Amino acid sequence: DPEEKARQEFVEISPDDPPHDNMWYEHDDGVKRRVPSTYKFPMLGLEDMYVLWHCGQEEAKIAPMKIFQSSDFQGPTMVRRGKTNLSEVRTVMTLIDLAAAKKGMKIKPIMTDSEARECCREGYTALNIPVNSKEGKSRDVLKMKWSSASRLKNKGGDDGGDGDGDGDADDTAEGDADDTAEAEAKNAGGESDAQEAEAEPEVDPEDDTLADLELPEAEIDV
């Protein structure tokens, strides 16, 4: 039972840890990570992923994803693309953060659900994803899976997602099951580290803050 395994691995919260980074799981190898060994990388819509990025899942005892490091996805039982997914998500979320900050939004270290959604809605257009497909069908970018948004960002009129760009379930969070099945198939096939490295991160995956990014006339609190 994955939930029971996660409960067994959870480490009691220490008063010495910062309030937004105090949930840890001790894996079978003795290493503490921010996610349990049974963790499956979420394939959510763009706006929901932004909320998870900044707010975490308190009820599930998961910290905000923006403080995750690649080492949190190391280990024999972790999903193989975990580190690559984290890097890709970080790139997308950073673009949204920068754009929202330039519009006067404050990117706080700890955000509420409503604050995060407001920032996302102010900044997501910086991804430069067409709101219509080549076939003229409308695309709800905020509900589009973050992985599709990552592929489509700065693509202009190019299509992505399921290949037809029609904004159907394969381009939105409703296609999560397909993405999960595809990822598991790759894992079962023994996807090599070289293949994983093909996705060149645009933002350093070890950089957990935006403090070093230059923001003219805008400021992000971290």
Side-chain angles (χ1 to χ4, degrees), residues 38-217:
T38 55
Y39 187 76
K40 294 189 180 300
F41 205 95
M43 300 301 296
L44 303 176
L46 180 62
E47 183 177 350
D48 288 337
M49 194 66 181
Y50 188 86
V51 173
L52 185 61
W53 182 257
H54 280 288
C55 303
Q57 295 173 290
E58 186 174 358
E59 69 284 355
K61 294 184 172 61
I62 298 295
M65 290 191 74
K66 62 183 175 182
I67 63 175
F68 285 8
Q69 298 182 6
S70 60
S71 57
D72 291 317
F73 293 94
Q74 293 176 344
T77 63
M78 300 302 293
V79 290
R80 193 169 187 84
R81 273 188 56 88
K83 290 187 288 185
T84 301
N85 285 341
L86 180 63
S87 176
E88 292 174 354
V89 169
R90 190 183 303 280
T91 297
V92 171
M93 300 300 144
T94 298
L95 290 172
I96 296 175
D97 282 347
L98 292 174
K102 287 178 181 178
K103 291 184 177 181
M105 305 300 296
K106 288 186 72 70
I107 311 300
K108 303 177 182 178
I110 302 177
M111 300 174 71
T112 65
D113 182 287
S114 60
E115 288 173 338
R117 292 186 187 279
E118 185 178 5
C119 286
C120 185
R121 291 165 187 168
E122 287 291 333
Y124 81 95
T125 53
L127 299 178
N128 192 27
I129 298 174
V131 295
N132 293 310
S133 70
K134 287 182 178 180
E135 291 76 13
K137 295 183 179 180
S138 62
R139 217 186 239 131
D140 190 338
V141 177
L142 289 173
K143 291 184 179 179
M144 174 185 293
K145 285 183 295 184
W146 70 260
S147 55
S148 293
S150 178
R151 290 193 297 270
L152 282 168
K153 69 181 187 303
N154 299 322
K155 294 291 187 180
D158 293 344
D159 286 324
D162 61 354
D164 59 15
D166 60 3
D168 63 12
D170 289 328
D171 285 323
T172 67
E174 295 174 7
D176 292 353
D178 293 335
D179 268 17
T180 301
E182 180 182 351
E184 291 177 349
K186 286 183 179 179
N187 293 340
E191 182 181 22
S192 69
D193 291 336
Q195 288 173 309
E196 181 177 325
E198 287 179 1
E200 185 72 20
E202 299 176 43
V203 177
D204 183 356
E206 296 296 340
D207 181 7
D208 291 318
T209 72
L210 300 175
D212 295 330
L213 295 177
E214 297 182 2
L215 297 175
E217 300 181 4

Side-chain angles (χ1 to χ4, degrees), residues 12-54:
E12 288 299 320
I13 295 176
S14 169
D16 298 328
D17 290 332
H20 61 289
D21 189 15
N22 59 0
M23 290 180 280
W24 296 87
Y25 295 83
E26 185 170 349
H27 292 212
D28 290 340
D29 58 4
V31 177
K32 293 180 182 179
R33 299 181 174 92
R34 292 179 177 86
V35 293
S37 60
T38 55
Y39 187 76
K40 294 189 180 300
F41 205 95
M43 300 301 296
L44 303 176
L46 180 62
E47 183 177 350
D48 288 337
M49 194 66 181
Y50 188 86
V51 173
L52 185 61
W53 182 257
H54 280 288

